[in-house]
Amino acid sequence: QVPLVESGGGVVQAGGSLRLSCAPSGRPFGTYATGWFRQAPGKEREFVSIISWRAGIRYYADSVKGRFTISRDAAENTVYLQMNNLTPEDTAVYFCAARREYCSGRGCYATAEYQYWGQGTQVTVST
């Protein structure tokens, strides 16, 4: 069973918006933070954003700052990624991931330090 489940992907025109959601597939489990990564065809998986559960500390990749907003709903154990002003360069499979340990800034970028992953949701931005 996949620990996390993403939803909200789809096809949108450039300049449009989408909101992704991520929630545990079963019983909620305790983690330090939950974030989003993305992987475009032929490219490595890259960090997008992360939010800590307790303090709500957020980090963003430079490529999405000012356009994407991450948020959390502790009551629903759900993390959201609001994506605005999308461009074709944002086209990728978006993965939700959670980690048990603290991180800050670029220290949150390494995929190997995330213990729980979803299967991904496709986001396609057309011109």
Side-chain angles (χ1 to χ4, degrees):
Q1 187 179 20
V2 178
L4 300 170
V5 178
E6 304 96 338
S7 62
V11 180
V12 64
Q13 287 189 327
S17 299
L18 284 173
R19 188 177 80 155
L20 306 182
S21 301
C22 169
S25 60
R27 179 182 177 185
F29 44 88
T31 55
Y32 168 73
T34 297
W36 292 92
F37 288 75
R38 65 186 183 185
Q39 188 166 18
K43 295 188 177 181
E44 293 188 355
R45 193 169 298 189
E46 65 174 1
F47 173 83
V48 174
S49 183
I50 188 174
I51 185 167
S52 65
W53 280 103
R54 184 171 182 179
I57 298 172
R58 298 168 172 84
Y59 296 106
Y60 296 94
D62 289 342
S63 60
V64 306
K65 279 181 182 176
R67 301 187 299 122
F68 290 11
T69 302
I70 192 169
S71 61
R72 74 202 190 293
D73 182 332
E76 298 293 330
N77 294 290
T78 300
V79 170
Y80 301 97
L81 185 68
Q82 178 66 43
M83 306 185 295
N84 297 329
N85 194 21
L86 286 160
T87 73
E89 288 69 36
D90 296 313
T91 295
V93 177
Y94 283 69
F95 296 90
C96 177
R99 60 184 291 148
R100 293 190 294 260
E101 297 78 25
Y102 167 86
C103 68
S104 66
R106 290 183 176 272
C108 301
Y109 284 30
T111 59
E113 295 182 2
Y114 290 75
Q115 291 79 29
Y116 309 100
W117 289 85
Q119 287 187 317
T121 185
Q122 177 71 46
V123 171
T124 302
V125 185
S126 62
T127 56

